[in-house]
Amino acid sequence: MSGNKPVVVYGASGFSGRLVVEYLREYNIPFIAAGRNRARLEEVMKQVPGIEAAQFEIAEIGNSVEELAKLFAGAKVVCNTVGPFIYSGPLVIEACLKAGCHYLDISGEQEWIREVATKWGGPFAQRGLLAAPATAFMSAPSDAAARLCIENKGIDTLETLTMFRGMPTFGSTQTIFAVLQTEAHYLEQNQYKRWPPATAMDVVVPGQIQTQLALAWGGFPQPVWFKDHPQVANVKSIGGLLDRQIMENVAATEKLYMEKIAPLPKQERERQLAEMANSVQGGTPPRENLRENRTIDVVVGRGSTDLVQCTLVGTCCYRQTGLLQAFAAHNLIRSAPRKVGFASAAQAFGPREVLGVLENHGLSKMKMF
């Protein structure tokens, strides 16, 4: 069905989905805006800046592998923006493999990333296809910076901090609560080690006098990307919002979950988490403002006698996500990725290329020390 439209954006009516669409329009890439509600898709597409110049179709689609694979047939790339991915990801990635499409998503859930690595990496590689989850702000820029840090061959340990100022979307909020039920891991001597539940830590953020509170937040994808790396043996990743009060509330919620909700049956546990997320964010936040919605990534690389630090100063985390998805799709349409199977955006397209597109659009700038 998608033969004349090389990209399918699944979940195009969501906050992140419409930003992916917006940047696909800038790249002049024809696409299909897909989702479960045609009326909602039509309403949202009308609001995308410059949409009148885009080549696109709208597709209402059900939630089965067969229906999705039929829609994806003929496309080269699927951009999946529907989370939480521990719930929705398996159907979409299976449909991509069945249809012979590259798979991208905007996840950050470590449990999902590990599933893609172990279950889908091999089958995608066998077919010359890329499976690149977490092609998004919360993970991809810091991963690209980390790969520049380890050009110093003495570096064997990485720590990453990713923070942003802004209002999490409905989907992001659902994910924040959904990952409470998963185990978060870091990498120590190439072995996964579990973060203690409800881990929170004070962090010093460059450019700010007040310390911030960061969480393990499901573990982040970086420990999975560097598992079995020939040089890097240790990886810890933390992050959150540049709003200490919000982060203290999230930390308190993690403790509440462990005490009251974790012992419940799976279906009831998921229901209560979704209700909690709805009470926090039930709608669509306003469009990001370049002067308000700031971001920062800090990557520290350490060896026995070597030290490297890279800081990414940026703005508008959701715009960064939309751009990274469109950039990845643009590259996949025109050439083979540097790595097939399970890979990060930096592995697939190059760390300098990932950071370069963000800088060229005025969304992030790197400083190395």
Side-chain angles (χ1 to χ4, degrees):
M1 178 176 177
S2 307
N4 61 340
K5 301 291 187 299
V7 177
V8 178
V9 181
Y10 183 59
S13 62
F15 190 91
S16 296
R18 71 185 69 179
L19 288 169
V20 177
V21 163
E22 186 174 331
Y23 283 107
L24 287 173
R25 181 199 65 81
E26 285 196 10
Y27 277 101
N28 294 314
I29 297 174
F31 62 89
I32 291 178
R36 300 181 190 175
N37 187 314
R38 174 174 287 274
R40 176 65 177 157
L41 285 163
E42 290 174 347
E43 177 187 351
V44 168
M45 287 302 103
K46 291 176 184 177
Q47 300 170 12
V48 175
I51 195 63
E52 65 279 358
Q55 301 178 54
F56 72 99
E57 299 173 12
I58 289 175
E60 185 177 79
I61 188 68
N63 193 31
S64 71
V65 171
E66 291 72 23
E67 289 175 278
L68 290 169
K70 184 177 179 181
L71 173 67
F72 299 163
K76 288 191 174 182
V77 185
V78 172
C79 300
N80 182 16
T81 69
V82 180
F85 292 85
I86 55 174
Y87 301 155
S88 65
L91 286 175
V92 183
I93 197 169
E94 183 177 349
C96 281
L97 183 63
K98 190 172 183 178
C101 302
H102 298 294
Y103 175 84
L104 306 172
D105 74 32
I106 62 170
S107 66
E109 304 144 60
Q110 189 186 89
E111 183 170 292
W112 168 239
I113 309 300
R114 291 180 68 180
E115 181 177 341
V116 176
T118 57
K119 183 175 180 179
W120 300 103
F124 268 74
Q126 289 171 11
R127 297 191 61 180
L129 298 171
L130 173 68
T135 300
F137 159 73
M138 207 68 184
S139 309
S142 61
D143 174 64
R147 293 181 190 279
L148 296 185
C149 288
I150 64 172
E151 289 180 351
N152 179 328
K153 298 306 179 182
I155 300 300
D156 61 15
T157 298
L158 293 168
E159 291 187 304
T160 73
L161 170 69
T162 299
M163 307 287 286
F164 70 96
R165 184 178 303 282
M167 178 62 68
T169 65
F170 173 79
S172 294
T173 305
Q174 291 286 331
T175 297
I176 289 169
F177 281 84
V179 298
L180 292 178
Q181 61 194 311
T182 67
E183 294 185 359
H185 295 84
Y186 57 93
L187 202 61
E188 184 177 284
Q189 295 305 314
N190 196 39
Q191 298 297 318
Y192 288 125
K193 298 292 182 69
R194 186 181 178 186
W195 285 103
T199 294
M201 59 194 75
D202 286 290
V203 294
V204 177
V205 178
Q208 296 207 345
I209 295 176
Q210 179 186 1
T211 61
Q212 296 291 339
L213 192 67
L215 305 176
W217 249 0
F220 289 83
Q222 287 89 338
V224 187
W225 283 328
F226 283 96
K227 183 73 168 68
D228 299 323
H229 192 277
Q231 176 180 337
V232 177
N234 311 293
V235 181
K236 288 184 176 179
S237 296
I238 56 175
L241 276 72
L242 290 167
D243 186 316
R244 192 177 183 95
Q245 184 59 56
I246 291 177
M247 294 304 293
E248 287 177 351
N249 291 340
V250 174
T253 300
E254 288 197 16
K255 293 179 181 178
L256 175 66
Y257 168 79
M258 296 303 301
E259 295 171 0
K260 304 291 186 182
I261 302 176
L264 298 174
K266 181 177 183 293
Q267 187 173 359
E268 177 62 16
R269 188 171 66 230
E270 292 179 357
R271 184 190 69 80
Q272 289 201 24
L273 287 171
E275 286 184 356
M276 291 169 67
N278 288 338
S279 70
V280 174
Q281 173 60 283
T284 301
R287 185 175 175 82
E288 291 170 306
N289 187 314
L290 289 168
R291 297 180 60 153
E292 296 177 1
N293 300 115
R294 302 292 169 79
T295 69
I296 190 159
D297 296 271
V298 182
V299 180
V300 177
R302 180 66 204 270
S304 297
T305 58
D306 292 275
L307 176 66
V308 179
Q309 179 171 320
C310 177
T311 300
L312 302 176
V313 181
T315 187
C316 298
C317 63
Y318 289 101
R319 288 201 211 179
Q320 290 188 42
T321 292
L323 175 58
L324 287 168
Q325 286 279 309
F327 161 79
H330 171 80
N331 277 270
L332 290 169
I333 290 168
R334 284 157 177 78
S335 62
R338 298 184 183 186
K339 182 180 178 182
V340 294
F342 172 72
S344 69
Q347 289 175 296
F349 310 111
R352 287 180 173 79
E353 287 75 6
V354 168
L355 296 176
V357 72
L358 293 173
E359 183 167 353
N360 289 340
H361 282 76
L363 294 177
S364 182
K365 190 170 184 178
M366 180 179 69
K367 301 178 184 297
M368 291 195 74
F369 303 95

